[in-house]
Amino acid sequence: DTAVSQTPKYLVTQMGNDKSIKCEQNLGHDTMYWYKQDSKKFLKIMFSYNNKELIINETVPNRFSPKSPDKAHLNLHINSLELGDSAVYFCASSLRRGALGVEAFFGQGTRLTVV
Amino acid sequence: GENVGLHLPTLSVQEGDNSIINCAYSNSASDYFIWYKQESGKGPQFIIDIRSNMDKRQGQRVTVLLNKTVKHLSLQIAATQPGDSAVYFCAENNNFNKFYFGSGTKLNVKP
């Protein structure tokens, strides 16, 4: 069983479109994250939720909106996609907030390409 | 905060040799550090961590060294194997909820 699963794995879309990436964890963790990895492999946190409550909201355009219907799911919706949004987006979860060490797991990533 | 960087973007080693991957950080308030391994097409995977009250921590074939004086972190991999080929990241934590990642070093293991 996959601990943290993201869908889709690949997403190619045109500029201006709206798209969503879904993430689910079956670990019973309280905290979930979205990270963006650029072409140089640099990972940067975007959002974090703890028990459905937003606890981290980094400097991210408001075209990006996370939604956590329950603590096992954290989805990322992106409006009006731009070329610069092309990246790999990683979902992660950790047992507790701030515990991004051995207790944390990352999904396999969603490669978003905006054309 | 975000000034975590790696000295060598690419490192090539022969199978069986030891590998050393370096990381510099700028925030002296950081008190927890993690090394991650990312294989192609996969998400980062935890390798080993160290708290700022320690200088060295050992795992299975891996050792992390922390030099707080010069704000330097290194990951040593003993007897490097082809399966160790990946991108390695260090991450620092100086805020309860936030971790800042370096840009990664690619390790190539030659058979």
Side-chain angles (χ1 to χ4, degrees):
Chain A
D1 281 344
T2 304
V4 181
S5 59
Q6 297 177 227
T7 54
K9 189 169 173 64
Y10 300 97
L11 182 55
V12 181
T13 188
Q14 290 188 323
M15 281 175 56
N17 283 350
D18 303 338
K19 290 293 178 185
S20 292
I21 307 171
K22 296 186 176 183
C23 180
E24 176 182 5
Q25 53 96 1
N26 61 6
L27 299 162
H29 286 174
D30 284 345
T31 309
M32 296 184 73
Y33 311 80
W34 277 109
Y35 278 83
K36 179 181 179 180
Q37 186 173 50
D38 63 22
S39 58
K40 296 181 180 178
K41 298 285 190 181
F42 186 73
L43 266 167
K44 187 166 184 176
I45 190 163
M46 300 173 69
F47 302 103
S48 178
Y49 271 73
N50 185 68
N51 262 321
K52 301 194 296 176
E53 177 190 352
L54 180 66
I55 56 172
I56 295 176
N57 184 351
E58 288 292 274
T59 308
V60 176
N62 57 15
R63 297 181 295 105
F64 290 79
S65 53
K67 283 187 172 53
S68 182
D70 55 63
K71 75 172 192 177
H73 295 84
L74 181 61
N75 304 323
L76 184 65
H77 188 76
I78 316 171
N79 289 327
S80 303
L81 277 154
E82 300 177 357
L83 294 176
D85 297 333
S86 295
V88 181
Y89 292 84
F90 285 100
C91 177
S93 74
S94 65
L95 186 61
R96 298 167 288 116
R97 55 191 294 177
L100 205 63
V102 67
E103 301 171 341
F105 294 88
F106 282 79
Q108 296 219 351
T110 296
R111 181 174 294 277
L112 171 66
T113 305
V114 183
V115 297
Chain B
E2 295 192 32
N3 292 320
V4 180
L6 297 173
H7 294 306
L8 298 173
T10 305
L11 176 65
S12 292
V13 299
Q14 206 68 39
E15 181 179 358
D17 287 351
N18 296 333
S19 303
I20 299 176
I21 300 171
N22 297 304
C23 179
Y25 64 95
S26 61
N27 193 331
S28 55
S30 292
D31 58 3
Y32 180 54
F33 304 86
I34 305 172
W35 278 102
Y36 283 93
K37 173 186 181 183
Q38 185 178 14
E39 296 174 272
S40 181
K42 296 185 179 180
Q45 181 182 6
F46 172 89
I47 302 174
I48 193 168
D49 58 1
I50 190 168
R51 297 206 174 271
S52 59
N53 61 351
M54 301 172 70
D55 297 325
K56 179 179 179 179
R57 188 157 191 231
Q58 286 185 291
Q60 191 176 21
R61 281 201 308 118
V62 294
T63 301
V64 55
L65 298 177
L66 176 62
N67 186 330
K68 294 180 286 294
T69 303
V70 295
K71 294 197 282 283
H72 184 267
L73 194 68
S74 69
L75 176 71
Q76 300 178 1
I77 304 174
T80 314
Q81 301 168 1
D84 294 328
S85 293
V87 176
Y88 290 81
F89 299 91
C90 65
E92 66 172 316
N93 174 251
N94 53 50
N95 175 305
F96 182 60
N97 290 314
K98 297 183 185 180
F99 282 79
Y100 298 98
F101 285 80
S103 56
T105 291
K106 185 173 182 179
L107 177 64
N108 290 323
V109 181
K110 296 177 284 188

